[in-house]
Amino acid sequence: MRKIYVFDTTLRDGEQSPGVNLNTREKVEIALQLEKLKIDRMEAGFPAASPGDLAAVNAVARAVKDVTVIGLSRSRESDIDAVREALQGAQDPCIHVFLATSPIHRKFKLRMEKQQVLETAQASIRYAKKYFSKVEFSLEDAGRTELDFMAEVVGMAVREGANVINIPDTVGYLNPSEYGAIFKYLKENVPDIEKVQLSAHCHNDLGMATANTLAAILNGADQIEGTINGIGERAGNTAIEEIAMALETRSEFFGAKTGLALTEIARTSRLVSKLTGMVVPGNKAIVGANAFAHESGIHQDGMLKEKTTYEIMTPESIGLKESKLVLGKHSGRHAFREKLLDLGYELNEDQVNDAFAKFKVLADKKKEVSDEDLLALLEEKLIDTPEVFKLETIFVAYGNESTPTARVRIATAEQTIEEEAEGNGSVDAIYNAIDKVTGEEVTLADYSIKSVTHGKDAQGEVHVVLSQNEVAAQGRGLSTDILEASARAYVDAVNVLIEKRKTFSRRERATL
């Protein structure tokens, strides 16, 4: 069975999704989970983009041990030097150098002729090879590049010692037969092509990223590139979980598999969704809430008789549990700890005590506590941000013929402050009152709500993005009361914003 290597770019291409802004600790948290998923290669970021991205890539490089860590670089010596700095301390570093090759990019973006593109790419690979034993080279917008010129560039990259050559459908333009044919053409027309691995990187603008990637595998691709949940610029990237399960479920057809720990898929999906704030649609393949749900009477009848009538894979295969409800307000600490282990969480004593206290509060509000409730509780605050402000209470007065008013009580290290404010709605009033307490001038860039479980007593999860000048911060809040969740999310984001500002200030002082 042929192995397909998995190159994850959730931390780089995925973070380029509109509204997503991961801080260093969040990137490390995702990176450690990707390591548990047994990703082969991990693109941690674009170090030349900013000092913050360079620092984040370095933190990831030092945190993970069993994954090749990759930094992205344009075909510039300064970019390559930034990757060198960022990947110091990595167990297995690799650089990913790219240059556009299509006619439209050559003419309008690069303003280069073919020979200039060839020479620039060659010089960048040579420079990268001085410092890295592993080099991946990408032909940006390869999908719209002339086949003969593509083969010329790929042939040069092979001769210069690139280890992996990536053929991206950068704008999601191709269909599967076209994209697969490119790999077949390169395999047949580039000398010594067997010395390198060919990689497929597809965008989903026309909804064909997964199909195109599978077509590339059928035509000789050795590596696939994508993101968890398919997040990324515009319509996103190939969803890694879809490729992994397609190869697993139809292994007799594709004759290939990944080396992923498939039972970590669900947990990885949840974590990426939580930290990016990008909700996974219910009908999303593999990891959507409805992926293993059956409502039709005919389907339910078939499932009761034989699961394979309507399920081609099991929820257990991606790390989901069929049993949902096990805990309630009378459950003890031992049962709670065992449930955490069952869900894959190994917490220390202090963490268990903190989680158990939160569980008891929730159990008093809800008759039934499901696995999803527990997971949301555990993952609400995965990243420990110093709490400059801590929400204690909120009170909201609202009527359809009166102006909503909110009063909040917030604790700081020195005192407890109460403020009251009006707003266009209940949430607006709460946020205005919080602004009075914090004194921070911020813009609410994004606000979203989702239900963690079903029913009138379901927990609601609120995600907000605040911006201040050029700094953005995400916050999350969880409660059976959506107004309380909204307030918690806002305060969380303010705390993250303050911490980010301190980090930027320390960096500025360090450069003086």
Side-chain angles (χ1 to χ4, degrees), residues 369-384:
V369 180
S370 68
D371 288 0
E372 287 83 359
D373 286 318
L374 285 177
L375 290 167
L377 254 183
L378 293 166
E379 295 168 354
E380 178 188 11
K381 204 165 173 55
L382 283 165
I383 306 301
D384 292 324

Side-chain angles (χ1 to χ4, degrees), residues 427-436 444 447 462 464 486-487 489-490:
V427 173
D428 187 44
I430 291 168
Y431 288 176
N432 289 337
I434 293 172
D435 287 342
K436 279 188 175 182
L444 181 62
Y447 174 93
V462 173
V464 302
S486 298
Y490 197 86

Side-chain angles (χ1 to χ4, degrees), residues 79-137:
D79 277 29
I80 294 168
D81 290 338
V83 175
R84 287 174 59 199
E85 181 181 350
L87 293 185
Q88 288 178 9
Q91 295 284 326
D92 187 18
C94 173
I95 187 168
H96 180 193
V97 182
F98 73 93
L99 186 65
T101 55
S102 68
I104 194 167
H105 278 248
R106 295 196 307 262
K107 179 179 179 180
F108 294 105
K109 188 177 80 171
L110 300 178
R111 302 188 188 282
M112 289 182 179
E113 299 298 326
K114 287 181 178 179
Q115 189 59 33
Q116 291 174 289
V117 170
L118 196 62
E119 290 172 357
T120 302
Q122 183 178 45
S124 67
I125 295 172
R126 285 183 179 179
Y127 188 72
K129 286 295 288 186
K130 290 181 181 180
Y131 307 105
F132 292 91
S133 60
K134 291 184 177 180
V135 175
E136 174 170 333
F137 180 73

Side-chain angles (χ1 to χ4, degrees), residues 112-400:
M112 289 182 179
E113 299 298 326
K114 287 181 178 179
Q115 189 59 33
Q116 291 174 289
V117 170
L118 196 62
E119 290 172 357
T120 302
Q122 183 178 45
S124 67
I125 295 172
R126 285 183 179 179
Y127 188 72
K129 286 295 288 186
K130 290 181 181 180
Y131 307 105
F132 292 91
S133 60
K134 291 184 177 180
V135 175
E136 174 170 333
F137 180 73
S138 281
L139 293 76
E140 187 185 7
D141 203 23
R144 295 188 292 178
T145 298
E146 309 93 328
L147 283 175
D148 58 344
F149 182 56
M150 187 191 309
E152 187 177 0
V153 176
V154 171
M156 175 277 297
V158 172
R159 293 191 299 274
E160 293 299 330
N163 307 88
V164 179
I165 298 175
N166 182 32
I167 311 297
D169 182 18
T170 304
V171 293
Y173 179 72
L174 301 178
N175 64 50
S177 61
E178 291 173 317
Y179 192 60
I182 291 175
F183 287 82
K184 187 173 187 293
Y185 177 87
L186 294 175
K187 288 281 188 181
E188 293 174 350
N189 291 278
V190 177
D192 297 322
I193 193 69
E194 68 280 356
K195 292 182 179 180
V196 301
Q197 290 184 339
L198 288 181
S199 185
H201 179 120
C202 297
H203 282 258
N204 203 38
D205 297 70
L206 294 175
M208 291 188 281
T210 295
N212 284 345
T213 301
L214 291 171
I217 291 171
L218 288 172
N219 284 276
D222 307 287
Q223 173 180 281
I224 64 100
E225 305 188 7
T227 59
I228 301 301
N229 298 337
I231 66 174
E233 284 195 275
R234 305 184 312 278
N237 292 54
T238 303
I240 286 174
E241 65 276 5
E242 293 177 12
I243 299 298
M245 293 309 294
L247 296 182
E248 177 70 19
T249 306
R250 299 300 311 279
S251 59
E252 79 296 341
F253 178 79
F254 290 103
K257 285 188 179 184
T258 68
L260 297 186
L262 301 178
T263 54
E264 291 291 331
I265 285 176
R267 187 174 178 188
T268 309
S269 171
R270 283 195 304 266
L271 178 63
V272 170
S273 178
K274 294 274 183 187
L275 296 186
T276 61
M278 297 192 72
V279 177
V280 177
N283 65 336
K284 166 75 174 65
I286 313 301
V287 292
N290 298 338
F292 296 97
H294 306 272
E295 186 169 332
S296 159
I298 295 173
H299 287 215
Q300 290 174 345
D301 179 63
M303 283 290 295
L304 290 170
K305 293 172 179 174
E306 170 55 51
K307 288 186 176 182
T308 57
T309 54
Y310 289 101
E311 278 190 356
I312 58 173
M313 52 195 162
T314 66
E316 291 86 355
S317 66
I318 65 165
L320 293 174
K321 301 290 182 182
E322 283 193 294
S323 59
K324 303 269 184 189
L325 176 66
V326 287
L327 296 177
K329 67 178 182 179
H330 299 299
S331 299
R333 193 181 305 270
H334 181 262
F336 180 74
R337 184 191 292 272
E338 287 299 311
K339 184 58 185 174
L340 295 187
L341 290 171
D342 188 44
L343 291 173
Y345 287 87
E346 296 184 29
L347 307 184
N348 61 37
E349 192 64 28
D350 288 340
Q351 290 171 324
V352 169
N353 290 339
D354 182 56
F356 186 67
K358 291 180 179 178
F359 158 71
K360 280 295 190 181
V361 172
L362 177 62
D364 280 335
K365 296 179 180 178
K366 290 196 67 174
K367 188 185 299 184
E368 300 173 347
V369 180
S370 68
D371 288 0
E372 287 83 359
D373 286 318
L374 285 177
L375 290 167
L377 254 183
L378 293 166
E379 295 168 354
E380 178 188 11
K381 204 165 173 55
L382 283 165
I383 306 301
D384 292 324
T385 301
E387 286 191 307
V388 179
F389 299 102
K390 184 175 181 180
L391 180 71
E392 290 195 343
T393 63
I394 63 168
F395 174 82
V396 180
Y398 171 78
N400 64 347

